[in-house]
Amino acid sequence: MSYPFPAELTAAAAGTHLAWTLNEQGKRNVYVAEGPDFKPRRLTNYMQDEGQEITSLSLSADGKWAVYVRGGEHGSIWSENETVNPAASPLPPKVEVWSMPLAGGEPIAIGAGGEPVISPNNRELAFIRNGQVWLAPLDGTSPAKPLFVTRGTVGSLEWSPDGTQLAFVANRGNRAFVGVYTNPETPITWVAPAFARDRSPCWSPEGKRLVFVRTAGLGGAPQPFLERRHQPWSIWTADVATGKATQVWKAPETLPGSVPNTNGGFNLHWAAGDRLVFVSYQDGWPHLYALPATGGKPLLLTPGAFMVEHVRLSPDKKWLVFSTNTGPDKYDIDRRHVARVPVDKAAMEVLTPGDGLESMPVLTGDGKTLAMLSATAQQPPVPAVMPFKPKAKVQLIGKEFIPAAFPQKLLVQPKQVVFKSEDGLTLHGQLFEPKGGPSKKPAIVYIHGGPSRQMLLGWHYSDYYNNVYAMNQYLTSLGFVVLSVNYRLGIGYGYDFQHPYSAGDRGASEYKDIRAAGKWLARQPQVDASRIGVYGGSYGGYLTGLALGRDSELFAAGVNIHGMSDLTAESVQQLLYPNRYEKAPDAEEAVKIMWESSPAASVATWFSPVLIIHADDDRNVDFSDSMDLVRRLEAKGAPYETLVIVDDTHHWMKYSNALKVNAATADFFRRMLLGEVK
């Protein structure tokens, strides 16, 4: 785990300036580079493992300023803008917006808040504090001040191209409105307010029109909980001066035509040629589409059995660059490559074919250089650049940050394995096999979280799953055969795979895939079927709990890392006793199925030993879930161990805590499956 992890890769709107964050064993800093050589340079000087993340990194268009947020936990479901203090400082750090000149100097504290957006004038920025918009000069020469105040929680800030207006979304609970602020003397323009939730505003290139997405507001009679339904959405354009809007496209009223829930959501952009581009799942895969701003039939830009994510529009608005899991190799469905497509025709090109993994693409402001994160099965992700054209050579610009002692050459190449679940569904997994050792080896099933994730044939582009990939490699080095399974509910294999019937709290059908993975391992000639373990975090921890509760005869031991225990805990009252006369027609049945889908419901048949790990400031899965499970196992007399990480979160903000968790996981499996004495 000594490798560095890059994130937040971004470029200035003009020129050749790039910036990214780098987490080097807990020391998180901003790095910058510029063409033509793109030599990395550390900009900030945070040299302690303090658990303070750096997010919302951006560069001013002129390449003179970097802006970022330090603090908080922005991968969380709730309280993302609240202080995180895993270092147990007596005076907790703040969540603050900072700016810093690229020429060097000291960071400038702009003020408490988040979601900063630099104005095109390169002099000031807007940001969110306590749900409202504040404005401050980039150089910090005067204090930040409120820009305007409105009801609800404000977000989705978008400056007009000339920097004179600011579009935003005011979320007011059961509805959300798009607004435009001009100046203190001009009333806010509310763009076609309706009984709806409007979102994702984006300016036209000339700055006189907006495009946005309209989704349904809350209300109406309670619907059956167990029934899958279409989630409607449509695309609207509006004249900013008048606020008058027109619907230009409505999503097909099918399940795949529902609101997309892949990376970036709608990925709505106003492109060159007065065209609108967006992502939809309507043909069964998350693909890019384009249509005229006046409306019409959308053009499918990226046809084929693959997904797109990490979508960016080029500075000249003529190209879309993105990550995808396709290419000339049959294994590419379990990789990531960078591709491009023009906004006006279906002429997609995969720019980085091969056995590597490339993701998070961004074009420099001059449109000549494509930057990305580049990894392999052995090399962790590092920033890289290449000319923006097919068959160009990729140049790694961050490889020197990998420590000399990092055991890159000792890492194994995971193998793609394909097998069937018990109901016939085709599953993909990655098999890590140790070299040498006994003919019959212990094995471990790894279960990812999310659940909308996909594990890959190499180092992952997410920090959480980079950590997991390192762990799977380490377990392999200890002599374990490790199978990482991509179960239903995950991304990468189409709409039906990601949205199965009777999954999660509606029946946990995805657990069939975990059982199938365990049984597949048990059939392998190199595996000792009596020594198969299971582990996972978050949703993977939840499924680990189901595995140990339902199939202790198959899974001899497990590590449940911040997994859910009782799925009814916060749902019973809402379903059975809503604050209204009506309730869902299947409420009683739904609560019963929720309970039966919970690990807590299977404790009676749980006899395999388990290690339960949880941080007590977890903002994704409440610490009480693990407390509930511990009390149940204790009452039954089932064997369990625990590890509590005080004041850290779901994502192990402190590097030393991530080390502690992984070391405890490895130690537990060594004792339970290898028979080593502690």
Side-chain angles (χ1 to χ4, degrees):
M1 288 183 62
S2 61
Y3 63 89
F5 183 76
E8 299 281 324
L9 183 63
T10 190
T16 63
H17 295 86
L18 296 173
W20 62 92
T21 62
L22 197 64
N23 183 345
E24 299 174 273
Q25 300 177 38
K27 298 180 285 291
R28 295 174 170 92
N29 282 287
V30 175
Y31 278 77
V32 295
E34 60 183 270
D37 59 346
F38 293 103
K39 183 175 177 59
R41 172 171 56 92
R42 180 162 53 81
L43 191 65
T44 57
N45 196 38
Y46 304 114
M47 304 309 291
Q48 301 295 322
D49 178 20
E50 300 171 306
Q52 300 303 304
E53 69 176 0
I54 296 177
T55 55
S56 298
L57 177 63
S58 62
L59 297 176
S60 59
D62 59 9
K64 294 183 178 181
W65 291 93
V67 170
Y68 57 93
V69 174
R70 189 165 189 262
E73 211 272 299
H74 293 84
S76 66
I77 296 175
W78 65 85
S79 302
E80 66 177 20
N81 291 313
E82 291 185 8
T83 293
V84 171
N85 189 22
S89 172
L91 297 175
K94 300 177 182 178
V95 182
E96 291 182 296
V97 177
W98 294 78
S99 68
M100 189 169 181
L102 263 65
E106 293 297 319
I108 300 167
I110 299 298
E115 304 176 52
V117 182
I118 302 174
S119 170
N121 66 22
N122 299 307
R123 297 189 304 273
E124 55 194 3
L125 63 89
F127 65 99
I128 302 297
R129 177 185 294 178
N130 297 326
Q132 296 296 319
V133 183
W134 288 56
L135 188 73
L138 277 170
D139 59 9
T141 50
S142 61
K145 59 183 180 181
L147 185 62
F148 64 89
V149 176
T150 187
R151 292 172 55 224
T153 300
V154 177
S156 302
L157 305 183
E158 292 285 336
W159 286 105
S160 62
D162 62 3
T164 61
Q165 294 180 295
L166 185 68
F168 62 92
V169 174
N171 188 337
R172 297 180 177 176
N174 59 4
R175 74 277 191 197
F177 304 139
V178 171
V180 176
Y181 168 85
T182 302
N183 55 49
E185 294 76 32
T186 303
I188 290 172
T189 299
W190 295 109
V191 179
F195 293 91
R197 283 178 162 176
D198 294 341
R199 59 179 87 175
S200 303
C202 181
W203 289 90
S204 62
E206 87 288 346
K208 295 182 179 180
R209 294 168 292 166
L210 281 172
V211 62
F212 63 94
V213 168
R214 174 158 289 173
T215 59
L218 299 184
Q223 298 295 312
F225 179 81
L226 299 173
E227 179 183 289
R228 296 200 306 173
R229 293 180 301 280
H230 169 66
Q231 298 175 332
W233 63 288
S234 54
I235 296 176
W236 293 63
T237 59
D239 179 271
V240 174
T242 64
K244 182 180 179 181
T246 303
Q247 178 180 294
V248 296
W249 182 76
K250 181 181 179 182
E253 295 181 7
T254 63
L255 288 175
S258 297
V259 171
N261 59 348
T262 52
N263 174 272
F266 304 104
N267 285 283
L268 180 63
H269 298 281
W270 204 311
D274 211 29
R275 299 178 70 81
L276 308 175
V277 293
F278 60 94
V279 166
S280 172
Y281 238 133
Q282 62 186 277
D283 74 341
W285 292 86
H287 281 154
L288 285 162
Y289 291 81
L291 78 158
T294 53
K297 183 179 179 180
L299 170 66
L300 173 58
L301 297 174
T302 55
F306 58 86
M307 69 175 295
V308 304
E309 59 179 352
H310 314 140
V311 179
R312 298 284 190 100
L313 183 66
S314 65
D316 64 7
K317 303 184 183 299
K318 295 180 179 180
W319 293 90
L320 292 159
V321 294
F322 50 94
S323 307
T324 182
N325 61 335
T326 191
D329 193 301
K330 67 177 182 179
Y331 300 116
D332 286 333
I333 193 169
D334 293 319
R335 296 190 180 117
R336 287 293 182 275
H337 296 307
V338 170
R340 72 176 184 179
V341 68
V343 300
D344 58 353
K345 59 183 176 180
M348 176 181 139
E349 300 168 290
V350 176
L351 299 178
T352 61
D355 60 2
L357 298 96
E358 300 83 27
S359 59
M360 307 290 182
V362 60
L363 275 167
T364 52
D366 62 4
K368 296 179 180 180
T369 302
L370 180 66
M372 72 200 80
L373 302 184
S374 178
T376 68
Q378 295 178 310
Q379 174 213 292
V382 297
V385 294
M386 64 178 287
F388 186 48
K389 60 184 179 181
K391 300 180 180 179
K393 183 179 180 181
V394 175
Q395 172 194 350
L396 304 181
I397 61 173
K399 196 171 181 179
E400 65 266 32
F401 298 113
I402 300 175
F406 181 73
Q408 184 169 320
K409 294 182 179 179
L410 300 179
L411 303 185
V412 301
Q413 174 83 45
K415 300 176 182 177
Q416 183 196 66
V417 294
V418 181
F419 55 97
K420 297 284 187 180
S421 189
E422 61 188 60
D423 58 1
L425 182 67
T426 298
L427 304 173
H428 286 229
Q430 299 83 43
L431 187 67
F432 299 74
E433 294 185 281
K435 299 175 182 178
S439 58
K440 290 285 189 178
K441 299 177 176 64
I444 297 171
V445 173
Y446 167 70
I447 312 171
H448 68 72
S452 53
R453 304 286 185 269
Q454 181 189 25
M455 298 306 292
L456 307 171
L457 289 167
W459 287 88
H460 207 274
Y461 51 81
S462 157
D463 57 350
Y464 190 99
Y465 296 107
N466 243 267
N467 177 27
V468 166
Y469 186 81
M471 187 61 192
N472 287 340
Q473 287 280 0
Y474 182 62
L475 290 170
T476 305
S477 76
L478 297 178
F480 294 97
V481 176
V482 180
L483 174 61
S484 175
V485 57
N486 284 334
Y487 56 92
R488 72 191 77 184
L489 285 176
I491 61 173
Y493 308 104
Y495 181 88
D496 290 336
F497 190 91
Q498 188 181 350
H499 301 84
Y501 286 94
S502 304
D505 56 5
R506 291 166 169 81
S509 62
E510 68 276 20
Y511 177 67
K512 298 174 184 177
D513 308 340
I514 308 308
R515 181 187 289 126
K519 289 184 175 181
W520 184 90
L521 270 179
R523 294 193 299 268
Q524 303 312 302
Q526 75 275 33
V527 170
D528 181 347
S530 67
R531 293 187 293 161
I532 297 177
V534 60
Y535 89 106
S538 195
Y539 206 90
Y542 156 69
L543 289 172
T544 295
L546 286 184
L548 297 172
R550 295 181 178 184
D551 286 297
S552 274
E553 292 185 358
L554 176 60
F555 297 107
V559 179
N560 180 337
I561 305 171
H562 44 232
M564 295 87 77
S565 171
D566 179 0
L567 301 185
T568 70
E570 297 182 0
S571 303
V572 171
Q573 183 172 355
Q574 181 181 352
L575 274 168
L576 295 182
Y577 310 105
N579 188 24
R580 61 195 302 181
Y581 175 77
E582 299 171 293
K583 63 182 178 182
D586 59 354
E588 285 79 6
E589 180 188 5
V591 170
K592 180 176 180 291
I593 290 175
M594 276 184 187
W595 168 248
E596 293 170 346
S597 303
S598 303
S602 298
V603 167
T605 52
W606 185 323
F607 56 82
S608 292
V610 62
L611 170 62
I612 299 174
I613 302 175
H614 216 129
D616 91 309
D617 192 19
D618 195 315
R619 303 172 187 188
N620 294 64
V621 177
D622 198 278
F623 187 76
S624 61
D625 275 274
S626 288
M627 290 185 65
D628 175 79
L629 187 57
V630 165
R631 296 287 82 83
R632 293 176 188 272
L633 294 172
E634 188 177 63
K636 180 185 182 294
Y640 73 91
E641 299 177 15
T642 63
L643 173 62
V644 173
I645 307 295
V646 178
D647 282 337
D648 212 331
T649 73
H650 198 73
H651 295 90
W652 315 126
M653 307 303 289
K654 204 164 186 288
Y655 173 75
S656 60
N657 286 337
L659 285 177
K660 183 184 294 185
V661 168
N662 281 5
T665 300
D667 173 73
F668 183 80
F669 281 132
R670 292 171 81 161
R671 289 185 285 113
M672 298 299 142
L673 301 180
L674 289 177
E676 296 183 8
V677 179
K678 188 173 183 179

